[in-house]
C-alpha cells in the first residue's frame, strides 16, 4: 500500500503583476527581492569568485553572458558608483521629488512556475511565481541593478540605511518564455533603436546643473520688446515663444529666438572662460566652479552681466542673426569672462566696456563676416554653423577680443 503525497504547492518568488501581452508583465518589486532574483552582474564577472559560487549562480552568469555586455573595464561599469550615489541621494531626500530611475527590463529564461487567477476581475492583475534557481537577467537597466547591489552591500558608504533600502520598491517589466535570440533582440532594440539625446541638450534639462540654473535665471530676468509686446525671455512652464528648450537647433519655422542649450553655453564660458568650451557638454556642479567662487556669487555676478548683454543684443536674436549660434555665444561668453571678478588671465574689463567691445560686431548671417570664424560657407554663400561651440568658440573669442586681428576686422566688417 502506498500513501498519496500531499499536492505540492509551487514554491518560489511570488510577484504581483499586470499582463500587457501574453509573455510579458509589469509590476513593482521590493529591493531585497530584486537583488535575490537578479545576482550582481559585477560579482558574476569576477572569475575567481564565480569559481566558488553555487551552481545556480554560475548558471545565471552563463545565461547573462548570452544577452548582456560586459561591465568590467567599460564606461558602463565605471558609471555604477556614480549611479549608486545618485540613487542614494534620491532615497535619502537629497534630490527632493526631482529624481527617477527607469523601470528595469527583466527576462526569465523559461516559464513562471505558476500563474494565478486574476485578483481583480478583468484587470489582468495576478500573481506569478518564479521558481528558485530560474535565471532572471536584466536585459535593460543592468547598470541600475548593479548600482542597487552596490548600495545594498555597503549602505553606510553612500549615506543610507538598510531600513531605507528595505522600503524601496523598484518598477520592472518581465518577459518570459522567449528564446535567447528574442531576448538579444530586445536588448538591441532598447539600446540602439532609440535616438540618444544629444549631450549638450541633455545638460540643458539638468536642473541641478549650475549652468542650466543660471541660464533659467537670466531667462527669467531679461525683458525685451518683441513683436510690439514686452514679454519675459524665460524658459518656464508654460513655455514662452522666445527660448527653445526641446531642440539643439532652431529652424525657420520656430517662433523662438535662441535655444536653452545655447544660452547655457554662454553661461558656462562666461563662468570658466576658454576652459568652459570643454565643459559645454558636461554637468557643472559646485565642485566644478572656479576657485573661491560659490554658486551664489556666480549667480550674483553672471545674471546681471549676461542679462544686460542679451537685452542689448536682442534685436540680433529677433532677426535670427549669428548671435544665436552656440559658437558665437561661446565666444561672447569667453569675452564676458574678462568682466567677472574671478577672471585669472587676460585684461579685466567692466560690463560697459564689454558692451562697447561688442557694439561694432556685425552679427548678420553673412559669409563676409563669419565664414572661417564661426561657420563655413558653401559655393552660394550660405553659412553652416554646425561646427559648434568647441570647434569655433575660441576663434570667435579671438575675433571679439582682438579687433586688430584678421578675424577681428572681419567680424566687424572693417
Amino acid at each position: 500500500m502506498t500513501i498519496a503525497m500531499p499536492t505540492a504547492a509551487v514554491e518560489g518568488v511570488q510577484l504581483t503583476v499586470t499582463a500587457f501581452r501574453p509573455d510579458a508583465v509589469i509590476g513593482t518589486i521590493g529591493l531585497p527581492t530584486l537583488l535575490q532574483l537578479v545576482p550582481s552582474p559585477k560579482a558574476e564577472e569576477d572569475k575567481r569568485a564565480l569559481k566558488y559560487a553555487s551552481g545556480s549562480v554560475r548558471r545565471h552568469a552563463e545565461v547573462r553572458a548570452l544577452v548582456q555586455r560586459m561591465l568590467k573595464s567599460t564606461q558602463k561599469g565605471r558609471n555604477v558608483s556614480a549611479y549608486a550615489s545618485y540613487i542614494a541621494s534620491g532615497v535619502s531626500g537629497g534630490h527632493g521629488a526631482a529624481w527617477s530611475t527607469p523601470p528595469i527590463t527583466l527576462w526569465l529564461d523559461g516559464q513562471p512556475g505558476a500563474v494565478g487567477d486574476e485578483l481583480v476581475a478583468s484587470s489582468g492583475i495576478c500573481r506569478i511565481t518564479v521558481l528558485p534557481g530560474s535565471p532572471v537577467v536584466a536585459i535593460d537597466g543592468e547598470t541600475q541593478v548593479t548600482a542597487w547591489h552596490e548600495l545594498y552591500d555597503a549602505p553606510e558608504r553612500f549615506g543610507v540605511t538598510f531600513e531605507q533600502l528595505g522600503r524601496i520598491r523598484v518598477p520592472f517589466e518581465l518577459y518570459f518564455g522567449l528564446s535567447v535570440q528574442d531576448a538579444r533582440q530586445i536588448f538591441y532594440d532598447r539600446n540602439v533603436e532609440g535616438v540618444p539625446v544629444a549631450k549638450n541638450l541633455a545638460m540643458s534639462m539638468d536642473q541641478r546643473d549650475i549652468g542650466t540654473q543660471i541660464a533659467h535665471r537670466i531667462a527669467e530676468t531679461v525683458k525685451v520688446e518683441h513683436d510690439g509686446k514686452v514679454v519675459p525671455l524665460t524658459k518656464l512652464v508654460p513655455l514662452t515663444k522666445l527660448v527653445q528648450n526641446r531642440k539643439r537647433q532652431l529652424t525657420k519655422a520656430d517662433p523662438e529666438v535662441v535655444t536653452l542649450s545655447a544660452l547655457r553655453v554662454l553661461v558656462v564660458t562666461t563662468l570658466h572662460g576658454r576652459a568652459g568650451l570643454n565643459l559645454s557638454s558636461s554637468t557643472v556642479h559646485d565642485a566644478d566652479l572656479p576657485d573661491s567662487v560659490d554658486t551664489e556669487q556666480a549667480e550674483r555676478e553672471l545674471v546681471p552681466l549676461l542679462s544686460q548683454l542679451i537685452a542689448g543684443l536682442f534685436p540680433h536674436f529677433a532677426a535670427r542673426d549669428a548671435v544665436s549660434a552656440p559658437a558665437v555665444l561661446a565666444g561672447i561668453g569667453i569675452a564676458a569672462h574678462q568682466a567677472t571678478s574671478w577672471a585669472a588671465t587676460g585684461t579685466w574689463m567692466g560690463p560697459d566696456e564689454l558692451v562697447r567691445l561688442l557694439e561694432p560686431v556685425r552679427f548678420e548671417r553673412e559669409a563676409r563676416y563669419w565664414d572661417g570664424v564661426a561657420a563655413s560657407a558653401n559655393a552660394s554663400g550660405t553659412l553652416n554653423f554646425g561646427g559648434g561651440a568647441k570647434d569655433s568658440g575660441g576663434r570667435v573669442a579671438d575675433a571679439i577680443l582682438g579687433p586688430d586681428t584678421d578675424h577681428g576686422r572681419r567680424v566687424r566688417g572693417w
Side-chain angles (χ1 to χ4, degrees):
M1 176 183 294
T2 59
I3 300 175
M5 297 296 293
T7 302
V10 177
E11 297 180 353
V13 177
Q14 282 200 341
L15 304 172
T16 301
V17 297
T18 303
F20 63 90
R21 69 186 219 190
D23 54 6
V25 295
I26 58 173
T28 64
I29 186 172
L31 178 59
T33 305
L34 172 68
L35 302 185
Q36 174 190 351
L37 203 59
V38 187
S40 169
K42 185 179 288 188
E44 289 189 352
E45 291 183 6
D46 184 338
K47 292 182 179 180
R48 185 173 180 179
L50 198 60
K51 181 179 179 181
Y52 300 99
S54 66
S56 62
V57 171
R58 292 198 301 272
R59 163 67 178 155
H60 187 280
E62 292 172 0
V63 174
R64 173 186 174 267
L66 297 174
V67 296
Q68 260 296 353
R69 52 185 168 162
M70 293 288 290
L71 278 168
K72 189 175 182 180
S73 302
T74 65
Q75 184 57 45
K76 176 183 174 182
R78 288 189 287 271
N79 190 44
V80 169
S81 290
Y83 202 169
S85 296
Y86 167 79
I87 294 173
S89 184
V91 169
S92 59
H95 297 321
W99 75 287
S100 175
T101 57
I104 296 168
T105 302
L106 303 174
W107 167 56
L108 167 62
D109 183 20
Q111 295 285 349
V115 177
D117 296 330
E118 282 187 317
L119 299 177
V120 179
S122 302
S123 68
I125 301 173
C126 64
R127 288 194 180 97
I128 65 173
T129 303
V130 178
L131 297 175
S134 297
V136 177
V137 178
I139 52 177
D140 193 42
E142 189 180 62
T143 306
Q144 184 188 155
V145 170
T146 312
W148 282 120
H149 271 285
E150 198 151 310
L151 270 175
Y152 206 75
D153 287 344
E156 66 285 347
R157 173 186 163 199
F158 296 94
V160 292
T161 65
F162 281 117
E163 289 73 22
Q164 288 175 308
L165 296 176
R167 295 193 293 268
I168 295 293
R169 295 198 66 81
V170 181
F172 71 92
E173 55 180 339
L174 173 67
Y175 294 82
F176 50 84
L178 305 184
S179 67
V180 169
Q181 289 75 20
D182 289 339
R184 285 174 175 166
Q185 189 63 49
I186 292 175
F187 172 88
Y188 174 88
D189 293 347
R190 291 297 178 89
N191 288 279
V192 178
E193 291 291 355
V195 178
V197 178
K199 190 70 179 291
N200 63 344
L201 176 59
M203 289 299 102
S204 72
M205 298 292 186
D206 185 357
Q207 303 307 298
R208 284 183 287 274
D209 174 74
I210 292 172
T212 300
Q213 291 176 18
I214 296 177
H216 281 305
R217 286 284 295 114
I218 292 166
E220 294 166 4
T221 300
V222 177
K223 288 184 172 54
V224 294
E225 287 287 343
H226 185 56
D227 293 336
K229 299 178 181 179
V230 178
V231 295
L233 180 58
T234 182
K235 190 268 137 196
L236 292 176
V237 177
L239 295 175
T240 70
K241 296 182 178 180
L242 300 177
V243 177
Q244 169 59 261
N245 71 298
R246 297 168 64 186
K247 299 190 296 185
R248 287 184 60 196
Q249 296 178 330
L250 296 173
T251 65
K252 291 181 179 180
D254 289 327
E256 296 85 5
V257 298
V258 66
T259 65
L260 182 62
S261 58
L263 200 58
R264 181 187 176 276
V265 167
L266 172 66
V267 171
V268 174
T269 51
T270 305
L271 187 62
H272 286 282
R274 290 182 189 273
L277 294 174
N278 293 324
L279 294 172
S280 59
S281 57
S282 300
T283 303
V284 178
H285 293 311
D286 291 345
D288 304 308
L289 289 172
D291 292 342
S292 73
V293 178
D294 58 22
T295 303
E296 183 179 350
Q297 180 186 357
E299 184 172 319
R300 187 171 60 247
E301 288 196 30
L302 295 192
V303 170
L305 174 64
L306 297 182
S307 295
Q308 179 184 359
L309 281 185
I310 291 172
L313 294 171
F314 185 75
H316 295 293
F317 282 103
R320 300 299 188 89
D321 287 344
V323 72
S324 63
V328 176
L329 286 175
I332 293 173
I334 293 171
H337 176 72
Q338 300 306 128
T340 64
S341 64
W342 55 85
T345 60
T347 304
W348 187 87
M349 67 180 80
D352 293 339
E353 187 178 355
L354 176 62
V355 170
R356 289 194 295 271
L357 185 67
L358 292 171
E359 280 178 351
V361 176
R362 303 299 298 266
F363 287 106
E364 297 93 330
R365 283 181 179 255
E366 296 184 18
R368 54 180 167 164
Y369 305 133
W370 295 105
D371 182 26
V373 182
S376 58
N378 61 20
S380 63
T382 301
L383 287 174
N384 178 6
F385 287 86
K390 287 185 179 181
D391 293 338
S392 306
R395 287 196 299 272
V396 175
D398 292 338
I400 291 172
L401 292 168
D404 295 328
T405 64
D406 290 343
H407 285 164
R409 288 189 289 271
R410 164 168 277 206
V411 301
R412 289 168 175 82
W414 296 346

